[in-house]
């Protein structure tokens, strides 16, 4: 079993944002191999891999395959533009949800006491 140092745990945590103890466990399970530990965390935490897969690459390990030419500058710009548009649309939708709430305060009239 490889010795797991604090710097290894920090490096994995910085790459994955996973909890410290989960990083330490994954590194121990992977025998100190950072790449294997990342894969262990990805599977354990249920993080899907989304990727552009060209015909000359295997889609193994990719949960959501985007078929396309990953060597073309035009194709990469198209993918990035699509992701950016989706992010902007999501932000607009979330702002609409927040502002759609209507009136927050309701005035209550108190009955006069006799």
């Amino acid at each position: 079993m490889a010795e797991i140092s604090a710097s290894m745990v920090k490096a994995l945590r910085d790459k994955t944002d996973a909890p410290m103890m989960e990083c330490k466990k994954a590194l121990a399970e992977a025998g100190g191999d950072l790449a294997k530990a990342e894969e262990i965390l990805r599977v354990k935490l249920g993080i899907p891999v989304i990727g552009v897969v060209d015909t000359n690459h295997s889609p193994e390990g990719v949960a959501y395959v985007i078929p396309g030419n990953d060597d073309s500058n035009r194709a990469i710009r198209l993918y990035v533009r699509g992701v950016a548009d989706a992010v902007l649309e999501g932000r607009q939708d979330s702002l609409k949800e927040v502002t759609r709430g209507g009136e927050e305060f309701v005035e209550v009239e108190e009955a006069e006491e006799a």
Side-chain angles (χ1 to χ4, degrees), residues 92 96 104 108 114:
Q92 287 176 344
K96 287 178 189 174
E104 284 187 39
V108 177

Side-chain angles (χ1 to χ4, degrees), residues 9-104:
V9 174
K10 183 181 181 329
L12 183 58
R13 192 165 195 282
D14 288 345
K15 283 185 95 172
T16 63
D17 286 331
M20 189 180 340
M21 290 308 295
E22 292 296 324
C23 291
K24 187 174 181 177
K25 289 176 189 175
L27 279 165
E29 189 176 330
D33 184 342
L34 190 62
K36 286 182 183 176
E38 281 184 55
E39 178 67 17
I40 290 167
L41 280 175
R42 186 188 66 73
V43 170
K44 184 183 278 186
L45 299 176
I47 300 169
V49 174
I50 302 168
V52 176
V53 180
D54 204 343
T55 55
N56 60 348
H57 289 87
S58 169
E60 186 177 322
V62 180
Y64 298 98
V65 174
I66 301 169
N69 184 355
D70 59 359
D71 300 324
S72 166
N73 285 335
R74 287 178 46 194
I76 298 300
R77 274 184 286 193
L78 176 68
Y79 303 141
V80 171
R81 195 174 307 123
V83 169
D85 290 346
V87 168
L88 292 174
E89 184 179 327
R91 283 185 179 172
Q92 287 176 344
D93 289 348
S94 66
L95 284 175
K96 287 178 189 174
E97 286 293 318
V98 170
T99 58
R100 191 182 326 162
E103 299 249 347
E104 284 187 39

